[in-house]
Amino acid sequence: MSDEKLADFLAAGLNPVDVPPLADLLQSRPLINAFITLFHGNEEQVLMRLMVLREIGARGQEPRWSPAQLEAHFAYVNSIKLRTVLSRLRENGLLLWDGDEGLYQIAETGRVALAAVSTLLAFSDQDAELGYLTSQAVGQQQMGRVTNETLQHLLARLNELYKYFEDALESQSEFQIQKAQKRLESVWRWVQKGTEVIRSMFEDENLERRVLDQVQAIGMAQSRILRLTGSFQRRLNQLQAQRVHLGASGLTSSDIAEWLRTASQADLAGMASNMLCFSPQLALVTGAEMVDIAEFELIERERVAAQSNVLPEKVAAPSLSAPEAERLFEAESLYALLAGFSVPTDISDAVVVDTYPETAYRLSLLSLLGDAEAALEQSIVGDMVNLPLRLQHDAEVVELDHPEVAAISRGELVPIENTEA
């Protein structure tokens, strides 16, 4: 594109080179033209150009190709289509043709474009953007030249992920929270790698002020994401306590919901057949009326009842139920045991007792150790969370000789002073 045509996109009287964001791109016009050549056209044409260029560039020992070698290597490609692709790559400067020796080789701009595409394809998983941006920051930091633009993109992606995780927690949906928790586990290594880069940048005294501001913002965004780790499991535990058990079947409301999510629309329609009754009058009701009716039923009706000045009849205060008392006593027993730990102790020695429910309850309490939010509680649980202990565990399990507990996660409780030493 000529500068005259480019000026048509700007306000009258402006020169493209006088627009700073555009001037940076104009300086890299040869490399941008290389990407235009690769990605111009329909999907089939783009894939063929990328495949041919990648195959030609994959031969590092002998980077130069004769036409006969190319035809033999790409025997699975239509010969006419192959010549068209080679011609386009050559005409636009991605391939060089040595007429004296009759050999092809990749041009400098083609090699750079191919390397950029290869790096991007290496991160073609669910979190390609975060992985790619983090690797860019790592590579630039190693080369001693981290651009502010790369840090801005990394910061934006971290804030997007935090918003996604926060929305999942606020949704109160067990399935959304589980999905977000798995997503957090998949990006965990990139957040850790980014933390290492940020720490190294803070030690660089030659960073520009605007770059340092971006580094500080990235560090805060990473800290916010890391603090969500315990929130997911805590919220899932709360939702698990609210599950409804369907008689003695062993099924819960979560099991039914998960089964319904896997059912097709046809199956759901079949199950709902003759079970739902639709009134013809509802077709004339708009969304506004439906919201008003719902607001009255959910809010106004209860508000009128709450404004009643009639005192309720006296009733005896409910006594503490047996299950609640047992759980309280179990927490006190666990606190007394943990308070006496002065050396690293295996998890099984702290939590395994006579029954599975008590063992599972103790293990769930251990997951709160060090949790800042739980430490604020004025209860025996808060006292236990403030104990100077740290829970260390891994994915392995240990088989037990126990009548109700078959296996338990491998790990140990370590006094904090021992860990810091």
Side-chain angles (χ1 to χ4, degrees):
M1 178 183 292
S2 63
D3 290 348
E4 291 78 10
K5 293 183 178 180
L6 191 59
D8 295 338
F9 289 88
L10 305 177
L14 280 181
N15 191 325
V17 297
D18 295 332
V19 181
L22 194 56
D24 292 340
L25 297 175
L26 291 175
Q27 292 178 358
S28 303
R29 177 174 283 177
L31 186 58
I32 293 177
N33 287 335
F35 283 104
I36 292 175
T37 301
L38 284 174
F39 295 101
H40 180 73
N42 56 40
E43 182 180 359
E44 295 78 11
Q45 294 171 337
V46 172
L47 290 175
M48 287 303 300
R49 291 189 206 115
L50 285 173
M51 184 197 71
V52 171
L53 193 63
R54 292 182 71 197
E55 287 297 300
I56 294 176
R59 200 168 70 169
Q61 296 295 334
E62 298 181 19
R64 309 179 76 184
W65 296 70
S66 68
Q69 289 175 329
L70 289 174
E71 291 182 2
H73 185 82
F74 294 105
Y76 51 88
V77 179
N78 182 286
S79 58
I80 297 177
K81 299 292 186 182
L82 176 61
R83 285 195 292 270
T84 301
V85 171
L86 293 174
S87 175
R88 180 170 179 81
L89 295 176
R90 175 183 168 184
E91 292 173 358
N92 290 276
L94 277 74
L95 280 182
L96 297 178
W97 167 254
D98 188 343
D100 296 334
E101 298 185 12
L103 298 175
Y104 283 99
Q105 70 179 59
I106 295 183
E108 180 180 351
T109 54
R111 184 72 68 181
V112 173
L114 186 59
V117 172
S118 299
T119 303
L120 181 60
L121 293 179
F123 297 93
S124 57
D125 56 2
Q126 182 181 10
D127 297 289
E129 185 178 4
L130 182 61
Y132 179 74
L133 293 174
T134 304
S135 68
Q136 290 291 96
V138 172
Q140 292 178 4
Q141 192 270 338
Q142 293 293 331
M143 297 299 294
R145 184 184 178 186
V146 182
T147 64
N148 188 56
E149 186 176 7
T150 298
L151 296 179
Q152 287 177 341
H153 291 316
L154 180 57
L155 175 61
R157 184 55 182 161
L158 290 171
N159 287 332
E160 290 170 354
L161 285 172
Y162 178 80
K163 184 64 168 58
Y164 169 76
F165 296 141
E166 189 178 43
D167 290 344
L169 288 172
E170 293 178 355
S171 70
Q172 296 293 332
S173 169
E174 182 178 1
F175 305 106
Q176 293 292 337
I177 295 175
Q178 289 177 342
K179 181 180 178 181
Q181 186 180 36
K182 293 179 180 178
R183 183 75 178 276
L184 178 59
E185 293 173 355
S186 67
V187 304
W188 183 264
R189 61 189 180 114
W190 297 120
V191 175
Q192 288 182 317
K193 180 62 68 175
T195 303
E196 297 174 6
V197 176
I198 295 304
R199 187 180 295 112
S200 301
M201 290 183 184
F202 273 125
E203 299 174 356
D204 188 354
E205 300 178 354
N206 299 321
L207 279 181
E208 299 180 7
R209 179 62 185 177
R210 62 173 185 171
V211 176
L212 182 60
D213 291 341
Q214 294 290 344
V215 170
Q216 291 175 337
I218 291 174
M220 295 178 61
Q222 290 174 334
S223 299
R224 290 197 305 167
I225 291 179
L226 294 177
R227 285 198 298 268
L228 291 176
T229 306
S231 300
F232 281 109
Q233 191 58 49
R234 184 164 55 251
R235 192 64 57 83
L236 287 174
N237 291 340
Q238 294 173 354
L239 294 175
Q240 185 176 9
Q242 299 172 4
R243 289 176 179 173
V244 177
H245 291 265
L246 307 180
S249 65
L251 297 175
T252 66
S253 55
S254 296
D255 298 327
I256 301 300
E258 177 63 26
W259 179 78
L260 290 174
R261 286 165 60 90
T262 60
S264 64
Q265 292 186 358
D267 294 337
L268 293 175
M271 287 184 286
S273 178
N274 301 323
M275 296 178 62
L276 300 176
C277 179
F278 297 96
S279 173
Q281 289 80 2
L282 290 179
L284 302 177
V285 178
T286 65
E289 284 80 7
M290 297 178 70
V291 170
D292 291 340
I293 295 173
E295 183 178 0
F296 173 79
E297 295 294 337
L298 297 176
I299 300 177
E300 295 300 332
R301 187 187 298 274
E302 297 297 328
R303 182 177 298 170
V304 173
Q307 292 176 350
S308 175
N309 296 323
V310 179
L311 294 177
E313 297 181 0
K314 60 180 181 179
V315 294
S319 60
L320 188 64
S321 61
E324 292 179 350
E326 291 176 0
R327 293 185 64 178
L328 180 60
F329 295 150
E330 190 63 34
E332 293 176 353
S333 175
L334 180 61
Y335 171 79
L337 178 64
L338 297 180
F341 287 171
S342 58
V343 295
T345 306
D346 193 87
I347 290 179
S348 60
D349 295 335
V351 302
V352 177
V353 288
D354 296 337
T355 65
Y356 170 78
E358 293 175 341
T359 301
Y361 175 64
R362 285 192 170 205
L363 188 59
S364 67
L365 290 178
L366 289 187
S367 65
L368 298 176
L369 287 175
D371 188 284
E373 183 177 341
L376 300 177
E377 295 187 11
Q378 301 297 324
S379 65
I380 188 65
V381 176
D383 296 339
M384 185 186 67
V385 171
N386 287 310
L387 287 175
L389 295 174
R390 177 176 299 174
L391 177 62
Q392 297 179 347
H393 63 90
D394 50 40
E396 298 182 7
V397 296
V398 180
E399 296 184 358
L400 302 177
D401 184 12
H402 192 278
E404 296 189 17
V405 182
I408 191 172
S409 300
R410 182 186 298 277
E412 61 180 2
L413 291 165
V414 182
I416 292 179
E417 55 269 23
N418 292 353
T419 304
E420 295 176 349

